[in-house]
Amino acid sequence: MKAGLESLGIAVPPTYVELAELAKARGVAPGKYVDGLGVTRMAVPLVEEDTVTLAARAARMALDAAGATGEDVGMLVVGTETAVDHSKPVSSYVQGLLGVSTRCRVFETKHACYGGTAALQMALDWVRSGSAKGKKALIICSDIARYGVGTPGEPTQGGGAVALLVSDTPKLLAFEAGKSGVYAKDVMDFWRPLYSKDAVVDGHYSVQCYLDALEGAYKAYQEAAGDAGEGGLYSDRFAALVYHVPYGKMSRKAHRHVRALDGDKEPDASFDRLVGPSLVLPSQVGNIYTGSMYLALASLLSTSREDLTGKRIGLFSYGSGSCAEFFSGVVQPEAQARVKALGLETLLERRRALSIPEYEAIMAAREKLDEKPAEDTAGEGFRYQGTRDHKRIYTR
Ligand code: CAA
């Protein structure tokens, strides 16, 4: 049985910071952030946005794009590393906001940026096994990436969500059953202690951990696929490669490593062809943790000028701590037209730039957001209003 993405949806905050402006404010050469890290703009969520509202917005877009409703969903999972509660999952709030059926498995998954991929793989197996019985899985990757003002990680923040509607009628990407390689290792490269809103990171070590995991997962994929040694550079079997993208330069480092493993003497030469289109949207949003690789996939399908129909895409998901997976899928007819019709580039163009003081004020306000008394705020869409009686209140 086929299993894959029937549709996808994206949510990004309506506001961002220009990284060239942030660099100037921090006394750093703008080239370091824009060229050195490969990020132009960083999404900054407003105080009425959180992991729940971003997830609900992305899910709404994915359901609408497929002409589906909450009644069609039999599994609703949110992969996140910036949840809003130690016990109640983000997915339960989303279930309520979207009116998803009570006959549904609803839960949350966590393994840093890999949490969404863990949920996706579970959903694919659920569909392939026949247990879904025609129902769809709604997998949502939602996060607000936060390292804190003035830290080395500051220019690699961001926020947003990607929703993936998974079913036996994939209209975007059909994943290849059995073609997957995993790699997991207990490392302290990036984490967020229970008492902290900001992530703690050993930045340069995290880059090395990512590359080690990529190598392990890529080799495991080749063993699982059983087609290594059939001639040519192995990664040329993919029409595009989509890497987890905490910042654009990391994808370049990843691709260089993959091509070097293949024995390519010019590992950078294929970067624009195989990776370039997947970085157009991420360079405007920054890191969205669990959703980063899926935003890159949306970027590829939305901006590539090549007809990818029937072609194989390689995907690499990395979660610090660590767990990683290299897997693949085949692009379905009309997939690119369907994703283009979502108007994702226009969505990003319509955002408003924040001044650095405005951004810093939002960062400070977010410190106390979980305890903010709920107040009725006017406006459209899903919004976090604050807490009352220890309960988070959202507009529906
Ligand atoms: N013009 C152009 N380039 C410049 C420049 C200039 N004026 N000045 C510096 N650069 C380049 C540097 O040469 C360097 O490039 P290379 O990596 O190719 O050598 C790049 O800009 C960055 O410079 P530094 O390494 O000196 O930057 P830094 O030490 O301040 O921090 C960082 C970089 C470690 C990535 C930091 O931003 C960080 O800790 N980020 C968060 C952690 C992270 O994203 N890790 C990624 C792997 S882990 C993961 O993927 C999971 C996840 O989502 C978190």
Side-chain angles (χ1 to χ4, degrees), residues 28-38 81 112-113 145 147 151-157 189-190 199 201-211 244-247 249-250 252-253 256 287-290 292 318-321:
V28 170
K32 174 171 175 180
Y33 291 175
V34 179
D35 304 319
L37 294 175
E81 54 188 297
C113 304
Y147 295 92
T151 65
E154 184 182 25
T156 65
Q157 299 176 122
D189 61 333
F190 166 105
V201 62
D202 189 342
H204 292 278
Y205 178 56
S206 74
V207 172
Q208 192 51 53
C209 291
Y210 176 120
L211 295 176
H244 169 58
V245 48
Y247 54 95
K249 177 63 99 42
M250 190 67 236
R252 184 175 282 280
K253 288 176 195 280
R256 203 175 274 162
N287 196 356
I288 58 169
Y289 289 163
T290 47
S292 289
Y318 176 71
S320 288

Side-chain angles (χ1 to χ4, degrees), residues 84-211:
V84 297
D85 192 288
H86 290 309
S87 176
K88 178 166 172 155
V90 170
S91 44
S92 288
Y93 289 103
V94 174
Q95 182 195 13
L97 291 172
L98 296 183
V100 170
S101 158
T102 50
R103 294 204 169 167
C104 184
R105 280 194 186 133
V106 177
F107 57 100
E108 190 176 285
T109 50
K110 180 181 77 177
H111 189 140
C113 304
Y114 176 76
T117 300
L120 170 65
Q121 295 295 351
M122 197 183 334
L124 291 171
D125 287 341
W126 178 68
V127 170
R128 287 179 189 130
S129 71
S131 298
K133 296 194 173 79
K135 291 271 186 182
K136 303 173 197 299
L138 183 55
I139 306 302
I140 314 168
C141 308
S142 184
D143 274 303
I144 294 174
R146 184 183 157 105
Y147 295 92
V149 169
T151 65
E154 184 182 25
T156 65
Q157 299 176 122
V162 182
L164 311 166
L165 195 66
V166 177
S167 75
D168 56 5
T169 50
K171 295 189 174 137
L172 303 183
L173 198 67
F175 291 100
E176 297 187 287
K179 287 199 173 182
S180 147
V182 291
Y183 178 93
K185 189 173 181 192
D186 178 10
V187 289
M188 291 301 282
D189 61 333
F190 166 105
W191 64 102
R192 188 166 65 85
L194 287 176
Y195 51 79
S196 176
K197 292 216 182 302
D198 297 339
V200 185
V201 62
D202 189 342
H204 292 278
Y205 178 56
S206 74
V207 172
Q208 192 51 53
C209 291
Y210 176 120
L211 295 176

Side-chain angles (χ1 to χ4, degrees), residues 106-379:
V106 177
F107 57 100
E108 190 176 285
T109 50
K110 180 181 77 177
H111 189 140
C113 304
Y114 176 76
T117 300
L120 170 65
Q121 295 295 351
M122 197 183 334
L124 291 171
D125 287 341
W126 178 68
V127 170
R128 287 179 189 130
S129 71
S131 298
K133 296 194 173 79
K135 291 271 186 182
K136 303 173 197 299
L138 183 55
I139 306 302
I140 314 168
C141 308
S142 184
D143 274 303
I144 294 174
R146 184 183 157 105
Y147 295 92
V149 169
T151 65
E154 184 182 25
T156 65
Q157 299 176 122
V162 182
L164 311 166
L165 195 66
V166 177
S167 75
D168 56 5
T169 50
K171 295 189 174 137
L172 303 183
L173 198 67
F175 291 100
E176 297 187 287
K179 287 199 173 182
S180 147
V182 291
Y183 178 93
K185 189 173 181 192
D186 178 10
V187 289
M188 291 301 282
D189 61 333
F190 166 105
W191 64 102
R192 188 166 65 85
L194 287 176
Y195 51 79
S196 176
K197 292 216 182 302
D198 297 339
V200 185
V201 62
D202 189 342
H204 292 278
Y205 178 56
S206 74
V207 172
Q208 192 51 53
C209 291
Y210 176 120
L211 295 176
D212 291 346
L214 170 60
E215 181 168 338
Y218 186 53
K219 286 180 175 166
Y221 175 91
Q222 292 179 35
E223 276 177 38
D227 57 358
E230 285 177 10
L233 298 182
Y234 194 84
S235 55
D236 277 335
R237 294 164 196 214
F238 303 96
L241 288 159
V242 179
Y243 300 101
H244 169 58
V245 48
Y247 54 95
K249 177 63 99 42
M250 190 67 236
S251 289
R252 184 175 282 280
K253 288 176 195 280
H255 188 64
R256 203 175 274 162
H257 195 56
V258 158
R259 296 297 282 195
L261 288 169
D262 283 353
D264 189 350
K265 299 278 182 292
E266 289 181 77
D268 276 331
S270 57
F271 181 79
D272 290 345
R273 174 173 61 87
L274 289 174
V275 187
S278 70
L279 298 181
V280 176
L281 301 183
S283 73
Q284 301 292 314
V285 176
N287 196 356
I288 58 169
Y289 289 163
T290 47
S292 289
M293 190 194 74
Y294 299 99
L295 180 64
L297 173 64
S299 178
L300 168 72
L301 295 175
S302 180
T303 68
S304 175
R305 297 214 182 100
E306 188 186 338
D307 180 3
L308 296 168
T309 307
K311 296 190 178 161
R312 176 177 291 133
I313 306 296
L315 301 118
F316 174 67
S317 175
Y318 176 71
S320 288
S322 66
C323 187
E325 186 153 351
F326 192 102
F327 55 114
S328 56
V330 175
V331 178
Q332 300 300 293
E334 308 294 323
Q336 287 165 280
R338 287 177 199 277
V339 177
K340 274 195 181 87
L342 297 174
L344 301 177
E345 286 175 276
T346 312
L347 193 83
L348 296 187
E349 277 159 22
R350 285 208 195 111
R351 297 174 302 165
R352 179 171 75 82
L354 294 171
S355 68
I356 301 305
E358 279 178 304
Y359 149 70
E360 288 175 355
I362 289 174
M363 289 293 279
R366 293 201 79 87
E367 286 285 340
K368 296 272 174 228
L369 219 52
D370 292 334
E371 300 113 86
K372 182 177 95 79
E375 54 196 44
D376 290 330
T377 49

